[in-house]
């Protein structure tokens, strides 16, 4: 029950913030303007479009990446004779875990983007997705099975960047807070989680921007797409707006990512304490 509550909370936060971030990245204005228009025109429910996809994403992507990260770090620690891993090894484990999680979660992530972008389209072009599974069904029907992994390249790269920032910085921050600052366990978890959330957002937003542009694409009347691929999207975006264009909506994105990361670590810490208490 606790595990489901944690997944639900994370999905609610992710869906709420992703709804605004996707629209900002689609060029609909600042965070305040987007949120105001969504609330005025569509109501509170607009912030939770794609909630079912958010739940599916948490159940696949988050589970796979955190589980694989612990497996990788445990094996690396054992190979290191039980000594703490250096930062570069933690970063490598984080990169690998991110790639594994993204491969599992890419279809759900695509459904989430499509469901949230659908409301921004003219009425005649909307698919009116009922839930994540209906979105996945429509994508397969209209574009084929492989379309479920459209944008998988930038999704994997984005996940690798996010996990490198999130996982490596967390373990390093825990060591600093505990050994250098002498903080209590609770303060250490909260402090390290906050640092982890910031670095996760900073490292991943440029890739998230490209991923969103690729995943929201749908063929025009001639069957052509706006971008031929991730690199084409990157080059055109860089030419149009420079490097800062990739950080469009960073405050909102950081508010979206950081609390989610913090909740993930706090929840995971409680699970580990429970496992130890029952001897697992």
């Amino acid at each position: 029950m606790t595990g489901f509550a944690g997944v639900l909370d994370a999905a609610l936060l992710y869906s709420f913030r992703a709804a605004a971030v996707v629209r900002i990245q689609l060029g609909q204005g600042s965070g305040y303007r987007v949120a105001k228009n969504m609330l005025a025109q569509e109501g509170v429910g607009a912030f939770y479009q794609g909630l079912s996809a958010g739940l599916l994403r948490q159940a696949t992507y988050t589970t796979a990446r955190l589980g694989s990260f612990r497996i990788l770090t445990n094996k690396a620690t054992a190979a290191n004779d039980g000594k703490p891993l250096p930062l570069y090894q933690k970063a490598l484990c984080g990169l690998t875990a991110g790639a594994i999680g993204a491969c599992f979660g890419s279809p759900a992530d695509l459904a989430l983007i499509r469901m949230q972008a659908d409301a921004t389209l003219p009425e005649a072009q909307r698919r009116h997705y009922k839930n994540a599974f209906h979105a996945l069904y429509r994508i397969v029907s209209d574009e084929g099975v492989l379309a479920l992994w459209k944008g998988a390249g930038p999704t994997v790269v984005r996940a690798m960047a996010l996990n490198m920032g999130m996982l490596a910085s967390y373990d390093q921050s825990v060591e600093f807070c505990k050994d250098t600052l002498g903080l209590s366990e609770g303060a250490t978890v909260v402090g390290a989680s906050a640092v982890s959330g910031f670095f996760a957002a900073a490292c991943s937003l440029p890739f998230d921007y490209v991923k969103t542009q690729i995943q929201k694409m749908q063929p025009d009347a001639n069957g052509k797409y706006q971008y031929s691929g991730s690199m084409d999207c990157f080059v055109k975006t860089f030419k149009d707006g420079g490097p800062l264009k990739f950080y469009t909506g960073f405050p909102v994105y950081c508010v979206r990512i950081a609390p989610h990361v913090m909740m993930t670590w706090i929840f995971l810490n409680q699970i580990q304490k429970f496992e130890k208490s029952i001897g697992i």
Side-chain angles (χ1 to χ4, degrees), residues 196-219:
S196 175
F198 175 80
F199 278 101
C203 290
S204 64
L205 181 54
F207 305 102
D208 187 82
Y209 183 90
V210 173
K211 176 184 73 69
T212 298
Q213 304 307 312
I214 296 296
Q215 290 183 325
K216 64 95 176 177
M217 288 192 310
Q218 296 185 25

Side-chain angles (χ1 to χ4, degrees), residues 31 75 84 133:
K75 288 186 176 297
F133 295 104

